[in-house]
């Protein structure tokens, strides 16, 4: 009989075994990563365009608009025909613009994949970027931008990126309505012709052998592949305003540049950050939320980009409490130099390991673990190192890491209200 008077026994997790993607090089030189997993006959095919991020733009908004416009018409299919074709087969197209790269993915049942692949490949290779569809997309993006610019948390996130990187840096610049209005079809066509042939193909789910063969044929033989790199382009950008919406609630952000994901000290810093502000039991949450009652939530995060990275702390607080919140955040950061509690550290490490394990519950999640290292020039040995470091990391290691990367130097600060 279950004894409800006693807590369940705690088992320490020292390692996590999970399925890994298999890589192969297609005949044209493109990379195919395949992760076959799951009982449902669902497949995700994601094509990551390695030079299609914002940092490769010659015109602000050019890259993200091009990605969003891909499914709005090709030489053979109108936007409506594409939508109807995918909808009638229960399929879905997902576009993801990004700083470093962008991706387009389809989700569908395996039995429909071979019918959809020719249409999908044409979307990627032969978009028309018609003026009529572009105008509709502009109106949609401007409407979304206006909504976003009424939200303090979004303005604060933009503002801290600009404060850390500068407005002209690809990681710091922001887009305005005027930037969106400037974009023309020829701008999108030029960007896409320079970007479309450098790609990786990531396939996960339960594809049949014939579906995998069809993927190899489409992306390895019928599509052109060309590996090339672009240097990030600096573009002048307006500065984010430091105050905005006259709200009683303020969004605060503090941050600075930090380590790339391939740095040997990245994992120790990741653990240190987790204890400070990476989970509900973190030091920032205990102080700012539980003890002081200044916010419903506060967190700190490492944001690894391909050519740079930053560390950011964020919270929403009452305007009257901004100064106190900022002071207490700085206090918690500096208190790490005196950290000695192995029990508290063990709690943070156990939560970190458990969270990692809980996020391996689907083929899509497993593929995300592959992407998370592959796109930073790493491989699965990163996770081996993570588990080893979690096992051996001590309070002394945490103090040294905090002193070197969090305490030293000043933090940029943005408050939007």
């Amino acid at each position: 009989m279950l004894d409800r008077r006693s807590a369940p026994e705690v088992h320490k997790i020292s390692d996590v075994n999970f399925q890994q993607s298999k890589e192969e090089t297609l005949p044209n030189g493109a990379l195919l990563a395949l992760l076959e997993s799951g009982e449902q006959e669902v497949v995700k095919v994601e094509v990551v365009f390695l030079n299609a991020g914002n940092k490769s733009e010659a015109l602000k908004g050019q890259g993200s608009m091009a990605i969003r416009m891909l499914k709005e018409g090709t030489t053979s299919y109108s936007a409506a025909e594409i939508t109807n074709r995918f909808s009638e087969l229960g399929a879905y197209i997902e576009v993801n613009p990004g700083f470093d790269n962008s991706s387009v993915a389809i989700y569908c049942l395996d039995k429909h994949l071979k019918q959809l692949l020719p249409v999908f490949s044409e979307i990627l290779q032969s978009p028309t970027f018609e003026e009529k569809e572009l105008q509709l997309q502009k109106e949609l993006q401007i409407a979304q931008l206006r909504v976003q610019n009424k939200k303090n948390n979004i303005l604060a996130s933009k503002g801290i990126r600009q404060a850390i990187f500068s407005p002209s840096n690809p990681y710091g610049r922001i887009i305005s309505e005027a930037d969106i209005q400037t974009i023309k079809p020829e701008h999108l066509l030029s960007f896409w012709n320079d970007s479309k042939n450098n790609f990786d193909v990531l396939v996960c789910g339960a594809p049949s052998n014939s579906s995998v063969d069809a993927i190899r044929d489409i992306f390895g033989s019928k599509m052109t592949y060309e590996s090339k790199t672009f240097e990030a382009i600096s573009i002048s950008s307006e500065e984010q305003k430091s105050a905005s919406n006259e709200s009683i609630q303020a969004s605060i952000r503090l941050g600075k540049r930090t380590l790339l994901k391939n740095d040997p000290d990245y994992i120790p810093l990741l653990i240190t950050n987790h204890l400070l502000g990476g989970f509900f039991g973190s030091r920032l949450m205990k102080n700012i939320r539980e003890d002081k009652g200044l916010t419903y939530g506060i967190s700190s995060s490492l944001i690894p980009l391909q050519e740079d990275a930053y560390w950011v702390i964020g919270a929403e607080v009452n305007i009257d409490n901004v100064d106190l919140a900022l002071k207490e955040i700085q206090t918690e950061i500096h208190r790490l130099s005196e950290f000695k509690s192995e029990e508290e550290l063990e709690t943070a490490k156990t939560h970190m390991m458990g969270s990692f394990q809980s996020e391996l519950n689907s083929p899509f999640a497993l593929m995300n673990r592959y992407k998370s290292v592959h796109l930073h020039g790493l491989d699965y040995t990163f996770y081996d190192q993570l588990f080893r470091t979690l096992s051996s990391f001590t309070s002394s290691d945490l103090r040294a890491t905090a002193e070197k990367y969090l305490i030293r130097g000043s933090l940029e600060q943005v408050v939007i209200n």
Side-chain angles (χ1 to χ4, degrees), residues 91-104:
Y92 173 69
I93 305 177
E94 178 182 76
V95 296
N96 292 297
F99 288 115
D100 292 302
N101 51 65
S102 298
S103 69
V104 186

Side-chain angles (χ1 to χ4, degrees), residues 27 37 41 64 89 91 148 162 172 185 192 217 285 360 368 406:
S37 177
E41 294 181 356
S64 57
L89 295 178
Q148 291 174 354
Q162 282 201 330
W192 196 243
D217 180 54
M285 283 291 283
L360 302 174
N368 283 338
L406 303 185

